[in-house]
Amino acid sequence: MDKMLDIVFNLGMLASMSILSGFIGADGERRGRKLLMQGALYGTASLLGMLHPLVLAPGLIFDGRSVMLSVCGFFFGPAAAALAACMALVLRVHQGGSGAVMGVSVIVSSALIGALFHRMHYSRSRRASARLLYLMGLLVHAAMVLLMLTLPEDQSMKSIRLLALPVMIAYPLTTLFIGRILSEFDAHRRMGESLKLSESNLRRSNEELAANLNKLMKREKELRFANAVLLTQQETSLDGILVVDGEGEIVSFNRRFTELWDIPDDIAASRDEKKVLKRATERLLHPADFLSKVNFLYQHPHEKSRDEIELTGGTVFDRYSAPMLGLAGEYYGRIWYFRDITESKRAEEEVRKHREHLEELVRERTNELEAAKEAAERANMAKSAFLANMSHEIRTPLNAILGFGTILERDLSLSETQADQVRTINQSGRHLLKLINDILDMSRIEAGRLALHNVPFCLQDLLDDLEAMFRVRAEEKGLSLSLERDAKLPGNVVGDEAKLRQVLVNMTGNAVKFTKQGEVTLRARMEAAAETGPRLVLEVEDTGPGIPPEELEHIFDAFRQSEAGREAGGTGLGLSISKRLVDLMGGELAVRSTLGEGSCFTASVPVEPSEETLSQPKTPPRRVAGVERNEAEGPLLIVDGVKENRDILKALLAPLGFALREAENGREALRLFEEERPCAVLMDMRMPVMDGYEATKRIKASEEGSSVPVIAVTASAFEDDVQNVLKSGADICIRKPLSPEDVYEALGKLLGIRFLYADEPRTADTEQEPPPSMEALAALPEELIKAMRRAVEDGDIDELHTLVDRVREMNREVAEGLQKLVRQYDYAALSSLLSDGDRESGSS
Ligand code: ADP
C-alpha cells in the first residue's frame, strides 16, 4: 500500500511538474528567463524525487531524476538542462555513499543526452514524437545500466542483474509518458501561438485590404476624372476622332466625327465599323486611295500617317493616324483624327494666287526697271556722246579764239586798249575751256569711264613743277609759297601722276587764289599704316579767309562756291573733281578750316615707292621766233575740216618759213599727199567725208607715207581718245586749243627742226645767209613780184607768206631768202628788193 502511495506520489509529482512546465512554456518573449525557470523547475523535481525515492525492492530505487533531466534537456535545451543538473548534482554529492559516482554520472549523462536530442531533433521544429521520446528514454537508461559498472565490484554485477531489465522497461516508458504530457502542452501552446499569429496576420491583412480599398477608391475617382477630361476633350475637339481596337472594331468616336462624315444617328448608334466605313467612302472623291491607306496601316500597326483627303463638294480633310501602344510597345489599336481644312486650303490657294500675281508683278516691274536701266544707260551714253560732241564743237571755235588771241597778244602794233581787250578775250576763252574740261571730267567720273594709269613717275619733279607753276603767281600777290618735303619722301613712286597733279593744282591754285596775305605751304610726306600700306600725304595749308563751318560739309559738292569763290571766278567743280579722283585712287581728301585763319586740304593716296630713275631735266617753254635750220623736204600738209583751224596753224607756221598745203578732209589729204609729198602732216581727227583716223591709217599703210610723220590734232579732252588716235598710226597727238609750243615741239621732235627762240641770238651762219639775188628774183613772174610788193606796202603779212609759198614752188632758195626778211619784218629791205626785181623784170 505504501509502495502504491510512493508510486502515485512520485509519478504524480513528475506529472504535475511537467504540467506546470507546460504552462511556463519556452518561447515568445523573455525566452531566456523562461528557460531558466524550466531548468529550476526540473532541478526541483529531480531533488524531490531524490529526496523521496520510490523503493521497489532493496537496491531498486526509482527517483525519476534521469527522466526529469533528459526530458528537460530534450524540451528546453542545454541551458535549462545544465541548471537542473547542477541542482541535482549538488544534492547527490551531498548524499555521498558508494553509488555517488554512478549517481553523478547518471545526472550528467541524462542532461547531456536530453540536450543532444534537443539539438538533433526538437530544436529543428520537429514535433516530439512518441518514438523519439521512447528512443531517448532507452538511450538514457541504457547508459544508466552501463554506469552501474562504476559501482563497487560487489554491487555492480548484482545491480545489473537485478535492475537492468526493470530500468530498461520502466524508465523509457516513464520518459515517454512525461514527454507526451509535455509534448501535448507544447502542441497546444504552438497551436495557440500560431492562432495568435494568424489572428494578427489576419488583422494586418484586413488593415492592408482597407488601405488598398481606399487607394482603389481614390484611383477610381481619379480615373473617373481623367475619363471626364478625356470625354470632354473628345467631344469639344475640333477634330473628328475615331478610336478602333486591335481587330479594327470601333471603340469610340466623338460627335465631331459624325458631323464631319455626316453619319446618321442610327449608324452611329450601331457602332458597326463596316457601315461607318461605307458611309465615309460614299463621300470620298478617291475612295480607293483612302481604303488602300487604311489597309496599309492595319498591316503596319506601328506606322503613323498624315495626309489630306478630298471629299465630294470640295471639302478637304487633314487626316492623321497613330497607333495606340502600351508601355511595352504592345498594340492596342489605332486612333484617327480628321480636321476640316477646306477654309485654310482655300486661303492657302488665295495666298498662292496672290503670290504668283505678286511674282508676276515683280517680274514685270523688274523688266520695266531693266528697260528703264537700259534706257538710262543709253541716255548716259547719249549724254557722254553729247558731251564729247559738244566739247568738240565748243573747242573748235575756242581753238580759233584762243589761237588767234595768242597770236594777237604777240602783235606789238596793237594799241594799249586793244591789247587789254585781247587779253580779256583770252582770259575768258581759257575760263570757258577750263569749264568745259571740268564738266567733261565730272561726267566721265560719274559715268565710271575714268581709269587709273598707275606708272612709275618722279614725285620730286611733280612737286618742283607745282612750286614753279605757282611761285610767280604767289609772288605777284605778295604771298610766300613754301614746299616742305619730308626727308624720307621717295624720289619716284608708282601712281597716276596726271590725276595727282590735277588734285594738287586745284588745291594749291585755290590756296593761292583765296589767300590775300601770309603764306601758302605745300607739304609732302609718306605715312605707313599696317592695314592700308604706304600712303603719300599731300597737304596744302594757307592763311586765307577760311571756310565757314556750314559750307565746310558741302565743300566737296559740285558747283559749291562761296561768295569769295564766285568773285574769284572759279567753276565750283575743282574740289568735287579732286575728291572723286582721290576716291578713285583709293585715297582720302579731307579739309580743316578756321574762319579768318586759314584752311588746310589734305590728300592721302596709296602709292608704292619705285626704284626706277625717271627724273629728266625740263626746260621751260620759250617763245619761238624763227627756224634756225629746216632740213625737211617738201611742204607741211594741214588737214582740218574747219577753215579757222587751218588758218591758226597757217598763222603759226607760215612766218617760220614753212611751205603749207591745206586739205579739208581725209580724202583730199590723201590726194594732196600723193601729189605734194609733204614732209609732215598735221591731221585733225574729226572731219567730214573721211576722218583723220582713216586718213592716217592709209597714209601710214602706203609705202611713201610710212616714214612721214603725222601729228594728230584733236579737240577731245579725253585721255582714252588720245590713246585711240595713237593707235591709228599717228606719231604724236596734240590737243586743241593748240598752244604754239605744242606745235613747235612736235615738229621739232619729228622733223629735227631747230627753232630760234626769242631770247636766243641768231647764230652766225643764219645772219650771214645772203638775201636773194636780183637775178634770181627777176626770174619770178612779174605779177607775183607785184603782188608781194603790194602786200609789203599793205603790211599784209599773211598774204606775204602765201606769196612766198608760191615763190618756194619755183625757187626754193629765193623763197628762203624772202621768208627770212618777212620773218624779220624787214619791210625796207623787202620793198627795195621787190621794186628792183620789178624793175629788172620790167626792163627785160
Ligand atoms: P572753284 O575754286 O573753281 O570755285 P573749287 O571746287 O575748287 O571751285 O572750290 C569750291 C569752293 O571752295 C570755292 O569757291 C571756295 O569757296 C572754297 N574754297 C576752296 N579752297 C579754298 C581755300 N583754300 N580757302 C578758302 N575757300 C576755299
Side-chain angles (χ1 to χ4, degrees), residues 321-446:
S321 175
M324 292 192 295
L325 300 175
L327 288 177
E330 63 275 25
Y331 179 73
Y332 288 123
R334 185 167 278 285
I335 188 156
W336 298 84
Y337 291 90
F338 301 92
R339 179 173 295 186
D340 189 346
I341 53 165
T342 317
E343 278 311 309
S344 62
K345 274 271 152 197
R346 217 166 273 157
E348 220 172 77
E349 181 63 12
E350 287 280 297
V351 169
R352 194 186 59 76
K353 275 188 195 151
H354 268 293
R355 200 180 53 227
E356 271 178 11
H357 179 61
L358 272 178
E359 278 170 4
E360 183 58 29
L361 269 182
V362 168
R363 261 196 300 279
E364 274 172 22
R365 290 283 177 283
T366 314
N367 288 343
E368 281 170 22
L369 278 175
E370 291 269 320
K373 190 173 149 236
E374 273 169 27
E377 272 167 8
R378 272 200 303 277
N380 213 11
M381 277 164 70
K383 187 180 100 183
S384 290
F386 168 76
L387 280 170
N389 284 331
M390 277 307 291
S391 130
H392 190 269
E393 296 310 321
I394 296 173
R395 274 157 180 273
T396 304
L398 207 55
N399 187 34
I401 295 168
L402 285 175
F404 284 119
T406 316
I407 292 167
L408 268 179
E409 240 178 9
R410 296 163 187 223
D411 193 338
L412 302 172
S413 64
L414 292 181
S415 71
E416 196 64 26
T417 331
Q418 283 170 328
D420 261 359
Q421 287 163 347
V422 170
R423 261 193 298 279
T424 312
I425 292 172
N426 283 347
Q427 260 172 19
S428 307
R430 274 192 285 273
H431 181 70
L432 191 56
L433 182 67
K434 180 160 172 19
L435 195 64
I436 294 164
N437 283 344
D438 281 357
I439 291 174
L440 272 172
D441 273 354
M442 202 68 186
S443 78
R444 296 202 81 203
I445 292 171
E446 279 180 356

Side-chain angles (χ1 to χ4, degrees), residues 506 510-511 513-514 542 545-547 551 555 560-562 565-566 570-576 599 601:
N506 181 252
N510 279 347
K513 183 163 71 176
F514 292 111
D542 63 48
I547 303 159
E551 282 182 22
I555 197 82
R560 281 277 172 169
Q561 274 182 305
S562 65
R566 270 188 290 280
T571 61
L573 282 171
L575 280 179
S576 168
S599 315
F601 285 83

Side-chain angles (χ1 to χ4, degrees), residues 622-623 625-626 628 754-763:
R622 295 149 85 198
R623 233 188 76 178
E628 188 181 323
R754 280 203 56 206
F755 291 95
L756 265 177
Y757 295 95
D759 53 355
E760 201 177 49
R762 284 162 191 275
T763 54

Side-chain angles (χ1 to χ4, degrees), residues 34 166 276 304 327 395 460 518 532 551 569 640 642 663-664 731-732 784:
K34 282 182 183 171
V276 171
K304 285 181 186 166
L327 288 177
R395 274 157 180 273
Q460 305 287 357
T532 49
E551 282 182 22
D640 200 308
V642 179
E664 276 184 17
D731 298 82
I732 278 184
L784 188 59

